[in-house]
Amino acid sequence: MKSLRARLLWFLLAAIVLAAGTQAFVAYRTVLNEADDIFDHHMRQMALSLRAGLPPSAAVGGIGAGDENFEFIVQVWTLDGIRIFESAAQAALPQRAVLGFSNVQARGTTYRVFSLQTGALVIQVAQDMAARRRMAGTLALRTVGPIALAAPLLMLVVWWVVSFSLAPVARVRSQVAARQADDLSPLSENDLPEEVRPLVHELNLLFDRVRRAFEAQKHFVADAAHELRSPLAALKLQIQGLQRATDEPTRELAVARLTAGIDRATRLVEQMLALARHEGSALAGARRESVSLSEVARLAISDVVSTAQARMIDIGVVRADPVKVPGQAEALRTLLRNLLDNAVKYSPDGGRVDVEIAARTDAVELSVDDSGPGLPAGERERVLDRFYRSGEPQAPGSGLGLAIVKSIADLHGATLSLDRSASLGGLRVTVRFSTAA
């Protein structure tokens, strides 16, 4: 049974039937045993009551054939074996009785007999066992009756309680089934049992992640359509210029411009794909590991050192505390590579770029300083937006480098700040990783 409702009902109803049957059997047997004790007690009391006095005649017959009652039979014997009293004619009980209780076969049935000796007399009280069983059975059935009546009522109550308790689950199922494919609004968590609420809560978190992924995809498509239009148009114009070139110098200039345009378009596409990839990782909750920032700095510097050397820019690490942060090594390498690439672009020839890794009291700071012109205070927040480019003309780009840095910093729960470099005079970008518990 895959249905939770059917499984609960089957097990609970089976448990009720089993418990009711066991209780009814035990009660039935208990009542039968207690009825035997009660009837034996009555027989003993009847025999004891006859010790106080006997009928006035020493030889009295039965009470009459028309009034015979074989449920209880009383006989009184002398020690010589003379019956001086009987309550039923032709009882055919043995003349010699075993004192106390015994079972006697007579009249085609079994009698329960109690014999008591008092003085020169023996008093016998007998009861037909068939009659006793009928009365005991009737009494036992009256005891079992309420159990047989309560079991179906309890089963109805259990059926109602299970159905009522699982109604919120059915409601959530109906809400999900009735949704359109683009409806990612959260499900209602009201009136849900504690066992189901965490599942619905996690489902709502999944809806939220999927919604943000869809929104990021829409933004990416919109940005790509907007930003690629200009480079593609420029490439088309440069191809037309190459086609109209009439001499070799003009043709070489057109080829150089076309190559530069292709490089810019390639860089733009790479940056956009990198941004989309890291935003996707943030939404998917990528697995983290312990990453050495010193190793990340070594790899990132190796990625840009050739560009820096071509412009005689001094690039290196001025401080590297041996610290590790939880995160993704490749993503952190991309973060630092973009910061270094940005610093190299905006630094003048023969300039300087410094990397610093410092362990603070409750954080780890990764900083990049350059000797470029820096950024006005009003632009330090705006350059983190996608496709925003500073007004400096000497280093054109796609405007996505710092946006990627911010995306990766957000992925690692780090904060990003831009300020003026006190040591080099240009821009100082600091990524702060919190180490507080």
Side-chain angles (χ1 to χ4, degrees), residues 149-378:
L149 179 63
L153 294 178
L154 183 58
M155 294 170 72
L156 289 176
V157 171
V158 167
W159 177 84
W160 181 83
V161 169
V162 170
S163 300
F164 179 78
S165 300
L166 294 179
V169 180
R171 187 187 70 231
V172 172
R173 181 189 62 189
S174 300
Q175 290 179 1
V176 175
R179 285 178 171 237
Q180 299 296 326
D182 58 348
D183 185 4
L184 298 175
S185 59
L187 298 170
S188 174
E189 298 182 22
N190 297 330
D191 302 326
L192 289 178
E194 292 297 329
E195 294 78 8
V196 179
R197 183 177 290 112
L199 175 62
V200 177
H201 180 69
E202 293 298 327
L203 187 61
N204 286 335
L205 293 180
L206 175 62
F207 284 163
D208 183 63
R209 290 195 295 269
V210 173
R211 178 182 56 79
R212 286 187 286 140
F214 282 166
E215 291 177 353
Q217 183 184 36
K218 291 179 181 178
H219 292 160
F220 174 79
V221 172
D223 293 341
H226 178 269
E227 294 299 323
L228 289 176
R229 186 179 297 113
S230 296
L232 293 178
L235 289 177
K236 185 176 181 180
L237 292 176
Q238 289 159 2
I239 291 174
Q240 292 175 353
L242 178 61
Q243 292 174 340
R244 290 195 298 267
T246 57
D247 53 22
E248 190 62 26
T250 304
R251 186 177 295 105
E252 290 179 354
L253 178 62
V255 170
R257 290 177 177 177
L258 179 60
T259 302
I262 294 175
D263 290 340
R264 286 194 297 272
T266 302
R267 179 61 177 169
L268 174 61
V269 171
E270 289 176 350
Q271 293 284 67
M272 292 182 66
L273 292 177
L275 179 61
R277 181 172 63 253
H278 292 299
E279 286 184 343
S281 298
L283 293 174
R287 185 176 60 87
R288 297 186 179 186
E289 57 186 3
S290 182
V291 180
S292 171
L293 290 183
S294 298
E295 181 65 15
V296 168
R298 185 184 67 83
L299 295 174
I301 291 176
S302 66
D303 292 336
V304 299
V305 67
S306 59
T307 304
Q309 290 176 346
R311 298 178 55 200
M312 295 180 294
I313 295 176
D314 180 14
I315 183 170
V317 179
V318 296
R319 176 180 177 181
D321 292 343
V323 294
K324 293 184 177 182
V325 296
Q328 297 176 283
E330 189 60 32
L332 291 175
R333 179 179 177 179
T334 302
L335 177 148
L336 186 54
R337 182 173 63 244
N338 279 4
L339 290 179
L340 294 175
D341 183 66
N342 192 70
V344 169
K345 281 182 180 180
Y346 284 92
S347 294
D349 293 346
R352 180 177 173 183
V353 175
D354 291 341
V355 178
E356 180 181 351
I357 302 171
R360 308 301 183 190
T361 303
D362 59 347
V364 174
E365 292 184 352
L366 172 64
S367 303
V368 176
D369 294 76
D370 65 59
S371 58
L375 279 175

Side-chain angles (χ1 to χ4, degrees), residues 102-116:
S102 62
N103 293 334
V104 175
Q105 297 290 332
R107 303 176 63 89
T109 185
T110 301
Y111 284 89
R112 179 73 166 169
V113 180
F114 177 73
S115 300
L116 171 67

